[in-house]
Structures are given as C-alpha cells and as structure tokens.
Amino acid sequence: MAIRDILRIRVLEESAECGVFLVKVQCNEPLLRQFWCCKPPFCNGQVEQADLSLETLTEIKFVLRATHRGPNLPNSHYWGPFVLTLCLDALQFRFQLPSGGVPIQDILEERGELILMR
C-alpha cells in the first residue's frame, strides 16, 4: 500500500476542560489537502475553526475553539463533528472509514489517531 493511500487524523487536547483543540492531519493526497485549505472555516455554533496551517508538505494543523462550552460534556462532543466532516470530505477522495462500527470518537480516544485508507 502506498503512503499516498493513508490518511491519519490526530486530536490533541490540553485537559478535560480545554476549550482549544488541535487536529493534525497527515495526508499525502495533494487534491484533498488543497480542498481543505480552500474550504470555508468550520463553525457549528459550539465550535469554530480558528486557524489552519500547513505544518509540512503533508501535514495540516487545524485549530478549533469551543465557543459555548456546556457542563459535563466530553471534549469529543466539540471536536467530533469537525473530525466527522474531515472523514466525509475524505470519502470523496476514495478514503474509507475503519470497519467495525466503532464510533470515530472512541477510536481516536483509544488509539490516539484515526487512520483512513483507500
């Protein structure tokens, strides 16, 4: 399998009460990276994309900020919809979600990263 066929998504959190999340995406598909760079910033009423930067030729860093933090909600409540959006975008470029029916948030929390392949 070529490295171009693997997409890695990692979410970095500071603490359980964190209001800022870093989402790092390792992607060797130039058209998908370009798509994300040209796409309007994410905003769903609770979270907004505060920044996007190209860290390397293959890594993009997204900065998310919780705008309205509710009590007793896990961090995945905030970054989960954004990560799901990344996954849905990747489907258009023939990447596939992991099989097994495990929620994306659970995979990320358990393994520290989500890997999509094509």
Side-chain angles (χ1 to χ4, degrees):
M1 176 169 300
I3 195 162
R4 188 175 183 149
D5 295 333
I6 299 172
L7 172 72
R8 287 186 165 83
I9 301 172
R10 291 174 290 154
V11 178
L12 307 172
E13 305 172 347
E14 293 296 321
S15 69
E17 299 81 29
C18 180
V20 177
F21 312 102
L22 299 178
V23 179
K24 291 193 172 190
V25 179
Q26 178 82 35
C27 177
N28 290 298
E29 172 54 62
L31 294 175
L32 181 53
R33 286 193 317 273
Q34 180 182 8
F35 175 79
W36 282 328
C37 289
C38 295
K39 187 176 175 178
F42 179 85
C43 183
N44 71 356
Q46 291 184 329
V47 173
E48 65 183 14
Q49 180 182 325
D51 192 24
L52 172 147
S53 62
L54 294 172
E55 298 292 289
T56 66
L57 288 176
T58 61
E59 188 173 78
I60 300 173
K61 179 176 75 175
F62 297 93
V63 178
L64 305 177
R65 185 174 60 87
T67 56
H68 301 292
R69 187 134 179 127
N72 303 319
L73 291 174
N75 285 344
S76 62
H77 173 81
Y78 299 98
W79 53 254
F82 177 76
V83 171
L84 179 59
T85 300
L86 294 178
C87 292
L88 292 174
D89 291 342
L91 290 176
Q92 298 176 57
F93 293 84
R94 299 187 343 231
F95 286 96
Q96 297 178 5
L97 295 172
S99 60
V102 179
I104 290 171
Q105 288 95 332
D106 292 351
I107 293 171
L108 275 162
E109 289 172 357
E110 179 182 321
R111 298 182 191 159
E113 69 179 2
L114 178 64
I115 298 174
L116 286 76
M117 295 186 201
R118 59 178 173 181

